């Protein structure tokens, strides 16, 4: 092998290396970057969807706690109202029993009372 052939071989090798380097930097690296971006976007979307689902679950649990508290309050209010009505009915019955024991009676019924209270 002569020096001229060696220089030619070195030039061909350098040209091949330059072509391979250019191909790698112009084609392969952008493809890898695009794939990485696509993967990152998919991962970011999945993470965002998961965070949104977690937030909705936390809000649902908080809403259920509030609903349960209001149901307890409503139950207590209804029980108190029922107790007041029962106490009122007992007072009326006691008053009517007192009137009967005294030999008096109240002949006014609900229709008479409504007529008297009409404006």
């Amino acid at each position: 092998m002569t020096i001229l052939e060696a220089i030619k071989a070195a030039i061909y090798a350098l040209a091949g290396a330059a072509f391979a380097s250019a191909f790698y930097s112009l084609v392969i690296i952008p493809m890898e970057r695009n794939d990485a971006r696509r993967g990152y976007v998919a991962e970011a979307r999945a993470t965002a969807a998961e965070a949104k689902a977690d937030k909705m679950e936390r809000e649902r649990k908080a809403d259920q706690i509030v609903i349960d508290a209001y149901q307890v309050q409503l139950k207590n209010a209804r029980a108190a109202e029922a107790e007041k009505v029962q106490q009122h009915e007992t007072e009326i019955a006691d008053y009517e029993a007192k009137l009967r024991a005294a030999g008096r009676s109240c002949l006014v019924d609900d229709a008479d009372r409504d007529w008297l209270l009409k404006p």
Side-chain angles (χ1 to χ4, degrees):
M1 180 171 196
T2 64
I3 293 187
L4 188 60
E5 289 175 350
I7 292 175
K8 270 185 176 178
I11 290 175
Y12 286 138
L14 285 174
F19 178 75
S21 175
F23 179 76
Y24 184 77
S25 63
L26 295 175
V27 176
I28 302 296
I29 291 176
M31 284 175 42
E32 289 176 352
R33 285 182 183 160
N34 287 339
D35 289 343
R37 284 186 194 123
R38 268 190 240 114
Y40 176 75
V41 168
E43 182 180 344
R45 286 182 182 165
T47 304
E50 185 177 321
K52 186 176 180 181
D54 289 344
K55 178 184 175 191
M56 289 174 63
E57 182 65 23
R58 284 192 309 273
E59 288 176 354
R60 188 195 62 76
K61 285 180 182 179
D63 292 344
Q64 189 60 45
I65 290 170
V66 170
I67 289 170
D68 292 342
Y70 278 130
Q71 285 177 346
V72 168
Q73 288 179 356
L74 178 63
K75 185 179 94 174
N76 292 340
R78 285 182 178 167
E81 183 66 26
E83 185 178 328
K84 284 180 184 178
V85 167
Q86 182 61 36
Q87 182 182 4
H88 186 66
E89 293 294 328
T90 304
E91 289 173 0
I92 290 172
D94 289 344
Y95 180 71
E96 289 174 352
K98 266 190 213 176
L99 287 178
R100 266 186 260 125
R104 299 177 4 199
S105 66
C106 182
L107 300 176
V108 177
D109 61 356
D110 287 338
D112 295 333
R113 189 170 43 89
D114 289 342
W115 182 80
L116 287 172
L117 293 176
K118 243 193 248 184

